[in-house]
Amino acid sequence: MAGLIVVNRLADLGPGWSDPDSMMRLVEVRDLLAGQGWFDLTQYRLDPPAGVLMHWSRLVDLPIATIILAASPFVGRAGAELFAANLWPVLLVIPFAFALASAAGRFGGDIARLVTLLMIFLSPQVKGVFEPGDLDHHNIQAVLIASMLMGLVRADGPRRWPLAAGAAAAFSLAVGMETLLAVLLAILGLSIAWIIDADRWRRGLVLFTGALMAGTLFAVVATIPPSRWLVPACDALSFAYLTPVFIGGGAVIALAAMVRGHNDGVPGLLMRGGALIAVACILVAIGAVLFPTCLAGPYGGVDPAIRSIWLDRVSEAQGLLATLKGRPELVPPLYIAPFAAFVLGLLALRRMPSVDRPAFAVVLSILGGSVLLGALQLRALVGAQIVASAAVGVIASLAVKATAGQDDARSVARRWAWLFAVPMVWALLVMATGRFTARPDTSAAEEANMTDCRAFFGKVLGARVPGLVVATSNFGSFLLKATPHTVLAAPYHRDAHGILAVDAVFTAADPEAAFQATGATYLATCTGDAELQQMAARAPQGLAARLIEGVRPPGSPKSLRVPQAWSFRRNHLVSISPVRCRCCGCDLRSPIRARCRS
């Protein structure tokens, strides 16, 4: 916790706070504290008048709201929000580290626990969800996945472990469908363990499945209004997932009760494996008939119109090929590191005592499946790296014990082979390579530019009469948090109508008509915004392209400033026609531009 605060510093909820999901979470918490209903997740200030029904969960809002309420009498509401934003994500490190280290300690003792704790802070993708200011739900999902793993590896032991694992799996689904893959892979791994050794893993499989069913039902009742219990949704816990959980869970419990499998050899393996495959086929068939769109995953119900213009550009929805093309420097820490952990885990599985192999196979099934599907969607790699942290701890502990007292080159190499699975090692290698090749890093300049734009929008729009703002989705959450205005678009797939309306304003042949059709009051743009630049590339004659070139928007008042001064990337100015300050006439592309901002 101290390291997260010292290295990343305390969060500032001002323009430098760049995570749109955390901003939107704070907006939701404010609405809850202001009296919006527990079951009402509609964001009425987004794409009004109907608003957008968000796919998030009140289970995440509740602890944040509790902290704010408790701290408000001492530091005021604004200070309480800042306190909660810094305390909540860092506080979650404690249960996360405990659960993950406990899972690794099941196989490798204290050495495995220590290496796992180190891996948390040597994995930027894992550590990042616990940084101060991260109010998104990914950190609590990480805690629940680690808790599920802690229970799964001990599911052949006391009853409390599979029950805890099933409950954690259920609540992770209630928080968000990002963990659906990890839960499915956990079920697969536990099923494989039961197929191999039915007597030993039967009770664990039954208890895990029962807890998953009960926890899912409780989460539905506690977070979804009765009017929506039978409404299917692909991107949130709903009837579309409750149905297969209960049908599949009931079938698995029945199979475990009927197919005992006491020393039945290969025929028993085939019988149990075939029965589970039949259950899986039945569930797929039911899904294809009742919820066909959800077979494509949480984004199955997304409006196809926004896929090419927005969803395909969302980083977490991109795969290996898109990452190689757009951000190749991310491939080693995100893909190679967990893959190396999986390969080393397979080698360690061969040397592991036979009594521990089924439990470690559960870990590797989640890790391997997450890495495989991470090639299709980047979001799966967060879960992969969480599980890889525990797997690396086990790998390191087994290697240290096997090579104790041996100092030959082969033993030393085996003892430190786990370093190939450390994401930070690959990240440092990429950084060193980038410096050697003198490859420019524009991310810091782009982020500074966006911070300038958010500060400008907050200052200018915050003092205006509340109205509807047309801005790219990148600024939607910030405007909701920092101003009293409503916005048309924010970076969420359920806001397809707003995203398409904003896209029409910036790319249509008649932007003025498109703007008037929205009924909006304000138009806010930042020419350094990547989303606006993508619109300009798609429509060279559209409003986005003309604004980037410095052309006044149609129908704008004479006093309107085209804010080129704060939109250009620092030290990487775009060469276009001269842009003159309307106050003093100086060229805003020159070094004197900083004085022209005011």
Side-chain angles (χ1 to χ4, degrees), residues 87-257:
L87 175 66
W88 173 244
V90 178
L91 195 64
L92 290 174
V93 170
I94 295 175
F96 176 75
F98 175 83
L100 205 60
S102 178
R106 156 73 171 79
F107 306 97
D110 288 340
I111 296 177
R113 294 187 184 95
L114 176 61
V115 175
T116 299
L117 292 174
L118 291 174
M119 281 292 295
I120 295 173
F121 295 96
L122 295 177
S123 306
Q125 201 175 13
V126 176
K127 178 177 68 69
V129 301
F130 299 103
E131 291 179 356
D134 196 329
L135 293 179
D136 197 8
H137 55 271
H138 294 146
N139 42 33
I140 197 167
Q141 283 182 324
V143 174
L144 292 168
I145 290 299
S147 301
M148 181 182 71
L149 191 66
M150 176 180 65
L152 282 175
V153 298
R154 295 178 174 86
D156 58 337
R159 291 183 177 88
R160 65 179 181 274
W161 294 115
L163 289 174
F171 282 101
S172 72
L173 294 177
V175 169
M177 281 296 117
E178 292 91 343
T179 60
L180 176 63
L181 169 64
V183 173
L184 292 176
L185 292 173
I187 297 172
L188 174 64
L190 194 56
S191 300
I192 292 174
W194 175 68
I195 291 172
I196 296 173
D197 191 345
D199 285 340
R200 182 180 173 189
W201 292 90
R202 178 185 300 107
R203 186 177 68 175
L205 179 62
V206 170
L207 293 176
F208 174 85
T209 305
L212 175 62
M213 295 168 63
T216 304
L217 181 61
F218 175 80
V220 168
V221 173
T223 61
I224 301 176
S227 60
R228 297 188 60 83
W229 281 354
L230 299 181
V231 177
C234 300
D235 57 355
L237 185 61
S238 66
F239 186 65
Y241 294 104
L242 191 64
T243 300
V245 164
F246 270 82
I247 294 177
V252 168
I253 292 175
L255 284 177

Side-chain angles (χ1 to χ4, degrees), residues 350-431:
R350 297 174 52 191
R351 306 186 183 99
M352 191 175 289
S354 58
V355 70
D356 291 335
R357 289 176 185 173
F360 195 62
V362 174
V363 177
L364 293 182
S365 67
I366 302 176
L367 174 57
S370 298
V371 172
L372 180 63
L373 291 176
L376 302 177
Q377 280 202 347
L378 201 64
R379 68 173 73 247
L381 295 179
V382 178
Q385 195 54 61
I386 291 172
V387 180
S389 298
V392 170
V394 177
I395 294 164
S397 66
L398 294 178
V400 168
K401 293 175 182 177
T403 59
Q406 303 176 29
D407 293 327
D408 57 284
R410 183 176 181 180
S411 298
V412 172
R414 181 181 173 186
R415 193 178 303 152
W416 295 101
W418 62 274
L419 291 175
F420 284 100
V422 177
M424 185 61 74
V425 172
W426 291 101
L428 292 175
L429 182 62
V430 169
M431 290 174 59

Side-chain angles (χ1 to χ4, degrees), residues 574-596:
V574 181
S575 178
I576 62 174
S577 57
V579 182
R580 300 295 177 182
C581 174
R582 299 189 182 278
C583 298
C584 63
C586 68
D587 187 350
L588 296 183
R589 299 173 302 162
S590 67
I592 201 174
R593 69 189 184 282
R595 284 189 287 164
C596 298

Side-chain angles (χ1 to χ4, degrees), residues 478-554:
F478 170 78
L479 291 173
L480 290 177
K481 176 195 75 75
T483 73
H485 302 286
T486 57
V487 299
L488 202 56
Y492 303 104
H493 60 274
R494 287 197 175 188
D495 186 30
H497 173 267
I499 292 174
L500 291 174
V502 169
D503 186 79
V505 172
F506 287 113
T507 62
D510 188 355
E512 187 172 3
F515 179 81
Q516 291 176 353
T518 66
T521 316
Y522 304 103
L523 176 71
T525 64
C526 169
T527 57
D529 177 19
E531 188 176 356
L532 191 75
Q533 293 172 352
Q534 291 163 3
M535 293 176 179
R538 284 190 287 111
Q541 303 303 319
L543 177 61
R546 282 184 275 168
L547 286 173
I548 291 176
E549 293 173 357
V551 179
R552 178 190 300 275

